[in-house]
Amino acid sequence: MDVLTDQLAQARARGAVFSVLRRVRPWGVRFSGRRPLTAHVLIEGTGWLEEPGREPLRLRERDVVLMSSGAPYALVSDPDVTAEPIADARLCGTDTRQGDAALILCGAYVLDGSFAASLLRALPRAVVVPATDQESAHAAAVALLADLIKQDAPGQQVLLDRLLDVNLIFALRSWWAQAGEAAPGWYRALSQPGLRRVLEHVHAEPAGEWTVPAMADLAGMSRAAFSLRFREVTGDSPGSYVTGVRMQRAEDALARSDVTLAQIAAKVGYRNEYAFSTAFRRRHGVSPGKWRAAARTAQPDYVPH
């Protein structure tokens, strides 16, 4: 099983384009920064990303920006230009005047579960993937976005939203590939065949009997060498990693189904409901039942401020 695909599937990562705005210089759009993960693509033109306490960052045409939550920030045509709140910009709509213009696509991602939280913690405030650094397929997806926003056809919003999902995968791959030690441990492990084989099998069958000897054999290493290397690369012990994958599956089942705790326990690799509940409480600090109730009250939305 492809581990990145599985991780994003467990996080239920999904995006929605919420505005495509044309602005004539001088222009500026301000965002509250409260949403977990927001995407911006400078479809046409150039601009700057401004964050409090940091030097403005130059943005060029087709550059992709991912912003995690934090202080308010702005996209502007030039440093120190006055920026209008995104809510006001959306009400005003696109600017059709002649002049030096930029076309800015903005979207937001909703992510759920423990992997979503760890993913967001592993990202810097701003991830910028310049057009010049995008792999060919990513550049093609951005080009398709640029083409589709000029159309008005049935299914338009769905197409844009799914392309925004594609953009997230490409942007994360691009960032993690060059982030070195800053990339998540499980992602770094994918570059090592033995460890990758273990992770793929664990994600494909989390309820399996994943003892250290079994995983070491799968990796083609001795037990001691495997345990040491696994911890060095992922930052986690093999057993703790397996528990984490099982908890991801359990969270998904608790939040999105009515199956019993005994059924969930069997599905994720625990011998009975008691063993599962104990492991879940140790991981989350609350019982599975309380966690389920809390998860179902959360109502995430897409539209950032």
Side-chain angles (χ1 to χ4, degrees):
M1 173 177 284
D2 181 277
V3 178
L4 176 56
T5 298
D6 183 54
Q7 295 281 44
L8 291 177
Q10 291 304 312
R12 301 282 172 152
R14 59 202 186 278
V17 172
F18 65 86
S19 69
V20 179
L21 296 171
R22 181 180 183 272
R23 284 292 181 268
V24 176
R25 181 176 264 115
W27 57 266
V29 182
R30 187 173 71 253
F31 302 85
S32 72
R34 293 198 298 267
R35 297 296 171 176
L37 192 63
T38 308
H40 306 286
V41 183
L42 201 55
I43 299 294
E44 296 175 0
T46 61
W48 297 80
L49 169 63
E50 289 189 329
E51 298 179 71
R54 298 192 179 188
E55 289 296 316
L57 181 64
R58 188 79 159 113
L59 299 176
R60 294 177 171 79
E61 190 167 293
R62 302 294 172 89
D63 286 358
V64 169
V65 180
L66 298 181
M67 295 294 298
S68 52
S69 61
Y73 64 94
L75 300 179
V76 296
S77 60
D78 303 281
D80 299 323
V81 166
T82 300
E84 61 181 330
I86 180 59
D88 294 346
R90 294 177 69 221
L91 285 174
C92 292
T94 202
D95 189 339
T96 59
R97 294 176 299 160
Q98 295 295 313
D100 184 7
L103 188 61
I104 311 141
L105 180 146
C106 301
Y109 296 103
V110 172
L111 302 100
D112 301 322
S114 60
F115 172 71
S118 63
L119 182 154
L120 294 171
R121 286 195 301 269
L123 291 176
R125 177 70 202 285
V127 171
V128 179
V129 184
T132 53
D133 293 345
Q134 293 166 11
E135 54 186 287
S136 59
H138 191 185
V142 174
L144 184 54
L145 264 174
D147 183 56
L148 284 173
I149 61 177
K150 299 173 184 176
Q151 301 179 20
D152 183 16
Q156 174 86 344
Q157 186 67 47
V158 174
L159 285 171
L160 292 177
D161 293 351
R162 296 297 71 80
L163 281 171
L164 196 67
D165 294 345
V166 170
N167 177 70
L168 176 63
I169 297 169
F170 278 124
L172 290 177
R173 276 198 336 201
S174 178
W175 171 253
W176 287 337
Q178 57 89 32
E181 291 300 311
W186 62 266
Y187 191 85
R188 297 197 304 272
L190 298 181
S191 65
Q192 303 190 23
L195 298 185
R196 177 172 183 162
R197 191 157 52 248
V198 170
L199 264 58
E200 288 175 343
H201 279 75
V202 168
H203 281 261
E205 192 181 352
E209 291 290 331
W210 294 117
T211 63
V212 169
M215 288 187 278
D217 185 62
L218 189 58
M221 304 168 70
S222 70
R223 299 177 191 179
F226 169 73
S227 294
L228 179 61
R229 189 62 181 151
F230 193 96
R231 187 182 288 276
E232 286 177 344
V233 175
T234 68
D236 215 349
S237 70
S240 181
Y241 187 89
V242 171
T243 298
V245 175
R246 289 173 172 172
M247 290 298 109
Q248 286 178 15
R249 298 295 197 281
E251 289 172 12
D252 192 66
L254 287 167
R256 297 180 177 85
S257 76
D258 293 317
V259 298
T260 66
L261 296 188
Q263 290 172 313
I264 294 174
K267 182 179 179 181
V268 301
Y270 291 91
R271 63 184 179 276
N272 55 46
E273 177 182 336
Y274 177 77
F276 164 64
S277 295
T278 299
F280 192 93
R281 186 187 293 273
R282 186 181 302 120
R283 191 88 172 186
H284 295 279
V286 296
S287 69
K290 288 185 177 179
W291 192 96
R292 170 178 264 171
R296 293 188 175 187
T297 63
Q299 296 293 328
D301 62 87
Y302 285 111
V303 182
H305 301 292

